[in-house]
Amino acid sequence: GKVSSTSGIWAATFNKLWAFNLTEFEKVIVLDGDILIRTDITHWFDYPTPCAIQAGNDLNWNSGAMVITPDSMEFQQMLSRLPHLERYDANKAYDSDPMTSGYSDQDFVTTFFLGVQKNATDDRKRCVMPTESAVLSSSLRIPVFSYFNKFQPWIYETVHFTVDKPWRGGTHPDHPFVCSMLREWNESMKGVEKYYDLIPPIENDYLRNCGNSSIIAAQDQE
């Protein structure tokens, strides 16, 4: 089916493409609303653009954390392609490139800039930020992350709550380190209540399964 389907959680994410038209800025850091910023990330502006992280063994960028250089011409090229996008199907024979490797904005952005890179006359390289720049909360549960969770947690510059969104009713994690990151997010949100006319309060008790033990003690039990 066409990428422009109105169903599913990806239906509105193509609005993110508007960031590529913010030409009043030299560079823009684009972050999803479910990202916890844990440290100064202004050094991201030093990356060549566009630049984003990749999730696991996925070759697509994760558009939840990107650094871009807005360009009105590239933005218009993106818009012109959108009506013709078709969700990629590995079982289908294609006569030409469907111009997206999946069904979301990040699949489209990835393939769009691969085309830009391929046809560039300069030495434009594909830029990927390290995983710790915007680690996915789903990844924090993987055993290979355990050492860094316990002994080097400072390495995570931001955390992307991909499956642990505090406002989602089913979010009640009991993983100790994910709980510690959600506690940080909870602390960062203190004072937001004065903006409740713009931002509704979160009614989900997302920390209910996290217990009261300290972060260090909880990590040692992991």
Side-chain angles (χ1 to χ4, degrees):
K2 293 291 184 180
V3 174
S4 57
S5 169
T6 57
S7 62
I9 64 172
W10 303 105
T13 61
F14 281 84
N15 288 337
K16 200 179 301 181
L17 297 183
W18 283 104
F20 289 91
N21 200 37
L22 297 175
T23 53
E24 63 268 37
F25 303 104
E26 182 179 343
K27 286 187 177 182
V28 174
I29 292 176
V30 182
L31 297 174
D32 278 3
D34 54 357
I35 283 187
L36 167 69
I37 301 175
R38 305 184 68 231
T39 189
D40 183 357
I41 60 171
T42 54
H43 63 279
W44 288 14
F45 287 120
D46 296 331
Y47 287 115
T49 57
C51 197
I53 72 155
Q54 289 173 320
N57 57 356
D58 190 349
L59 289 177
N60 287 302
W61 278 323
N62 186 308
S63 63
M66 299 187 296
V67 188
I68 66 172
T69 296
D71 184 300
S72 58
M73 183 176 297
E74 288 183 340
F75 175 68
Q76 291 301 324
Q77 289 173 349
M78 288 180 178
L79 293 187
S80 68
R81 292 187 186 183
L82 288 183
H84 310 289
L85 292 185
E86 181 178 351
R87 179 173 177 171
Y88 176 71
D89 182 349
N91 297 314
K92 180 179 177 179
Y94 289 92
D95 295 326
S96 60
D97 187 345
M99 297 182 293
T100 182
S101 58
Y103 52 89
S104 68
D105 65 285
Q106 60 194 30
D107 303 305
F108 170 62
V109 169
T110 297
T111 52
F112 177 86
F113 281 103
L114 282 176
V116 171
Q117 176 191 342
K118 181 179 179 180
N119 298 314
T121 55
D122 57 5
D123 190 25
R124 190 168 189 175
K125 301 296 184 183
R126 177 165 152 87
C127 177
V128 177
M129 292 190 288
T131 298
E132 63 267 23
S133 292
V135 66
L136 308 187
S137 63
S138 52
S139 297
L140 295 175
R141 294 173 164 83
I142 301 174
V144 294
F145 283 77
S146 177
Y147 167 81
F148 300 97
N149 295 351
K150 289 182 178 181
F151 301 108
Q152 308 285 352
W154 60 268
I155 198 173
Y156 304 128
E157 296 178 343
T158 73
V159 176
H160 192 171
F161 292 118
T162 46
V163 296
D164 301 287
K165 304 182 191 305
W167 51 86
R168 184 176 292 171
T171 299
H172 304 114
D174 57 7
H175 185 278
F177 192 74
V178 173
C179 283
S180 73
M181 294 297 97
L182 282 171
R183 287 193 186 98
E184 284 190 20
W185 190 86
N186 185 57
E187 286 294 315
S188 74
M189 291 297 290
K190 285 186 176 179
V192 75
E193 60 274 4
K194 61 185 176 183
Y195 301 106
Y196 277 169
D197 57 331
L198 300 174
I199 306 172
I202 294 175
E203 298 179 354
N204 176 41
D205 184 11
Y206 53 90
L207 293 175
R208 72 184 189 189
N209 294 335
C210 287
N212 297 317
S213 57
S214 68
I215 294 175
I216 298 299
Q219 290 175 3
D220 288 341
Q221 297 169 13
E222 193 176 25

